[in-house]
Amino acid sequence: MLSSLLSKLAVIIVVALVIHMTGAVYGSSAASDQLALLEIKSKITLDPKGALTSWNDSLPFCQWRGVACGRRHRRVTMLDLQDLGLVGSLSPYIGNMSFLSYINLGSNQLHGSIPPEIGHLYRLRSVYLFNNSFTGEIPANMFSCSKLSFIKLQYNKLSGKIPNAFSSKSMITVLHLHTNHLTGGIPPSIGNLTSLEELSLAYNQLEGSIPDSFNQLKNLRKIGVGANGLVGAFPSFMFNLSMLEILSFSENQLQGSLPSNLCLSQPHLTWIGFGSNHFNGFLPPSISNCSELEVLALPNNYLKGEIAVDFGRLQHLNRLSLAGNKFGSKDRDDMNFFSSLSNCSNLEILDLFRNQLGGVLPNSLGNFSSKLSYLALDSNHLSGSIPSSIGNLLGITTFFSSANNFTGLIPESIGKLQNLQILYLDNNHFSGVIPRSIGNLSLLTKVVLAGNGLEGSIPSTIKSWKQVIALDLHGNKLSGSVPKELFQLTSLSIALDLSQNNLSGVLPQEISNLKLLGTLDFSMNRFTCELPSSLSSCTSLENLNLSSNLFYGSMPESFISLKALEYVDLSRNNFSGHISMYLQQIPLKQLNVGP
């Protein structure tokens, strides 16, 4: 009987101990979450928005800012402190909050390494540490969290190799590692992530080739691996991943060609980017089947031949960049595709720079999207005149048309482009006068009309150019005196180049207004005067070229104030006296005062 009583007592004691221990476990778990949060707070050295002021004993920790708990166990399940300006590091104690499923510390100023203890959080589904300053390697055990779906570590300073630790059991759907300092090859085990929808590895220093295992990524919608050092042939199976929306491998050293059936098996493509690689071959006409396409960026490759795409079917096209290839054959039919672009009502950027396109610009240019802001046609073989319909492109801010064979007048309608900021029409065969309407373009910052056959005077209407920083009119047939309005453009800072014209007259004292100007080139004209002493007020001048004119007199002693001067050419004028004496105290890199 005594033994029976002792046995029952033992059972009671065991049950009591179990109850006590269970209570202790639950109590210590909640306490450990609170302790972990306080440890995280202790590593924050600056909290500019006071986000963590509520993290104290006055409130239950489940009510602290950025903290969310589960209803059943009152354990921390979410930690969301995004974009609060927090400075500091991330405590390893974060790995003690075993119920944590969501971490968002993005867009702060956290530094140091990512604690490998995060890999202990087996319930973790999302980890967002983007836009911080984390350094060191990515913890390999992070990828052992079997429920992890979203990993965003972009815009940090992470280094080392991407761990080759991706399991076929992984649930990862989004992996963003772009804009770090990662090296080595792309891990083949990424091909095991059959649920992967988004992969971004751009702007690192990754090398090697694209793994063959990527052909298993059947659910991939977005892939961006641009701005790395990838080499080798671009795998053809990438063009068979039917779910793809974004396909971007720009700025690598990949080789290959675009398949003739491009877009037929990938109808949802919105972005095709292979710029700055070694692609060759032709531009497939089948691209017109990508009805959702927004960006087609293929610059700086070796693509060639006719552009035979019906762009009119691409109603969502926003950016078309085919620059730096060998499209066209200098033939008059090279621009047959151009008119179809007038149906692209969302087109904002059109870049055809440095190809072999011949032919003329059709009047349909004026029917292009009112959203068109960037138009680059430079370094081709285009001829004829620029159609006056260009005046309809009211949204354009940048127009490059240098180094072509354009003739005729610069159209007066160009003065309607009220938003124009950059205008390059140099190295063509334009003739006639600079249209006075150009003065209507009050937002201009850079104007280059050099290397043409422009005649007449510089229009005084340019006085409205209050933001211009560079003006280049050299190599024309401009004549007459320089209008005083030109010397009222106090914003000029990069260069004012009027060289190789037939300009004459004097330089007014108002030249002193150009205090920010770095380069002044009036060489090879017919200026006849003494140099105004006010030129000494142009204290930012680094390059001064007044050669091959009819300047006379002596160099003003006040020029000693031009301390920034590096290159001076006063040769082939009628100066008298010891010109170099005034410049001996300036450490010039080059001085030419010869006859």
Side-chain angles (χ1 to χ4, degrees), residues 366-471:
N367 298 327
F368 275 43
S369 167
S370 59
K371 298 178 182 178
L372 187 67
S373 64
Y374 183 97
L375 176 59
L377 305 172
D378 40 333
S379 298
N380 280 286
H381 299 272
L382 301 175
S383 57
S385 60
I386 292 181
S388 60
S389 62
I390 193 173
N392 296 338
L393 304 181
L394 300 182
I396 198 165
T397 61
T398 303
F399 181 33
F400 291 113
S401 194
S402 309
N404 278 289
N405 297 315
F406 286 116
T407 56
L409 306 176
I410 297 175
E412 190 77 23
S413 61
I414 204 167
K416 297 179 180 179
L417 307 180
Q418 297 287 313
N419 291 302
L420 194 61
Q421 299 173 24
I422 298 176
L423 175 63
Y424 279 59
L425 299 178
D426 55 293
N427 295 302
N428 282 283
H429 305 290
F430 289 112
S431 58
V433 299
I434 299 174
R436 289 182 60 81
S437 65
I438 203 169
N440 297 334
L441 308 180
S442 60
L443 299 182
L444 281 174
T445 59
K446 296 181 180 179
V447 183
V448 182
L449 306 179
N452 283 290
L454 298 173
E455 302 172 342
S457 60
I458 300 172
S460 60
T461 54
I462 63 173
K463 63 183 179 182
S464 65
W465 294 354
K466 302 302 183 184
Q467 301 182 47
V468 68
I469 59 176
L471 174 59

Side-chain angles (χ1 to χ4, degrees), residues 195-211:
S195 297
L196 193 64
E197 298 181 8
E198 297 182 16
L199 175 63
S200 183
L201 306 176
Y203 296 98
N204 282 288
Q205 290 103 47
L206 300 175
E207 301 172 338
S209 59
I210 300 168

Side-chain angles (χ1 to χ4, degrees), residues 245-262:
E245 299 172 10
I246 294 178
L247 181 60
S248 180
F249 285 83
S250 299
E251 298 181 53
N252 283 285
Q253 300 176 48
L254 297 167
Q255 302 175 5
S257 59
L258 302 176
S260 59
N261 63 346
L262 180 62

Side-chain angles (χ1 to χ4, degrees), residues 198-496:
E198 297 182 16
L199 175 63
S200 183
L201 306 176
Y203 296 98
N204 282 288
Q205 290 103 47
L206 300 175
E207 301 172 338
S209 59
I210 300 168
D212 292 338
S213 59
F214 274 28
N215 66 353
Q216 301 173 140
L217 304 179
K218 304 300 183 183
N219 292 300
L220 197 62
R221 294 188 300 109
K222 301 176 181 180
I223 180 169
V225 196
N228 279 286
L230 300 181
V231 297
F234 187 79
S236 58
F237 64 72
M238 293 296 298
F239 296 113
N240 294 322
L241 301 178
S242 60
M243 300 297 289
L244 272 179
E245 299 172 10
I246 294 178
L247 181 60
S248 180
F249 285 83
S250 299
E251 298 181 53
N252 283 285
Q253 300 176 48
L254 297 167
Q255 302 175 5
S257 59
L258 302 176
S260 59
N261 63 346
L262 180 62
C263 294
L264 294 180
S265 59
Q266 296 173 305
H268 303 298
L269 277 172
T270 62
W271 188 304
I272 301 174
F274 291 103
S276 299
N277 278 285
H278 301 305
F279 276 75
N280 55 28
F282 303 94
L283 188 64
S286 61
I287 287 177
S288 62
N289 290 291
C290 278
S291 59
E292 300 176 26
L293 194 64
E294 298 175 9
V295 174
L296 178 59
L298 306 172
N300 303 317
N301 280 284
Y302 301 99
L303 300 171
K304 61 183 179 180
E306 179 185 5
I307 299 176
V309 178
D310 180 5
F311 293 103
R313 297 171 61 182
L314 306 181
Q315 293 296 305
H316 300 284
L317 190 64
N318 174 269
R319 173 185 167 195
L320 175 61
S321 179
L322 303 178
N325 283 285
K326 299 179 180 179
F327 288 117
S329 56
K330 308 178 187 179
D331 188 83
R332 64 181 183 180
D333 295 327
D334 288 341
M335 296 295 283
N336 285 346
F337 73 95
F338 199 76
S339 291
S340 69
L341 287 165
S342 63
N343 292 324
C344 300
S345 57
N346 290 294
L347 190 63
E348 295 184 19
I349 297 174
L350 175 56
D351 191 355
L352 301 175
F353 162 66
R354 208 178 73 235
N355 278 285
Q356 299 178 160
L357 297 171
V360 301
L361 278 182
N363 285 326
S364 59
L365 175 63
N367 298 327
F368 275 43
S369 167
S370 59
K371 298 178 182 178
L372 187 67
S373 64
Y374 183 97
L375 176 59
L377 305 172
D378 40 333
S379 298
N380 280 286
H381 299 272
L382 301 175
S383 57
S385 60
I386 292 181
S388 60
S389 62
I390 193 173
N392 296 338
L393 304 181
L394 300 182
I396 198 165
T397 61
T398 303
F399 181 33
F400 291 113
S401 194
S402 309
N404 278 289
N405 297 315
F406 286 116
T407 56
L409 306 176
I410 297 175
E412 190 77 23
S413 61
I414 204 167
K416 297 179 180 179
L417 307 180
Q418 297 287 313
N419 291 302
L420 194 61
Q421 299 173 24
I422 298 176
L423 175 63
Y424 279 59
L425 299 178
D426 55 293
N427 295 302
N428 282 283
H429 305 290
F430 289 112
S431 58
V433 299
I434 299 174
R436 289 182 60 81
S437 65
I438 203 169
N440 297 334
L441 308 180
S442 60
L443 299 182
L444 281 174
T445 59
K446 296 181 180 179
V447 183
V448 182
L449 306 179
N452 283 290
L454 298 173
E455 302 172 342
S457 60
I458 300 172
S460 60
T461 54
I462 63 173
K463 63 183 179 182
S464 65
W465 294 354
K466 302 302 183 184
Q467 301 182 47
V468 68
I469 59 176
L471 174 59
D472 187 354
L473 302 178
H474 88 267
N476 281 288
K477 301 176 182 178
L478 299 173
S479 58
S481 60
V482 179
K484 290 185 177 181
E485 288 81 2
L486 177 61
F487 300 105
Q488 295 173 8
L489 304 181
T490 58
S491 58
L492 279 169
S493 58
I494 295 179
L496 173 58

Side-chain angles (χ1 to χ4, degrees), residues 9 18 48 64 78 124 128 292 312 415 431 460 463 575:
L9 182 60
V18 169
W64 292 355
M78 296 178 61
L124 193 61
Y128 300 146
E292 300 176 26
S431 58
S460 60
K463 63 183 179 182
F575 289 116

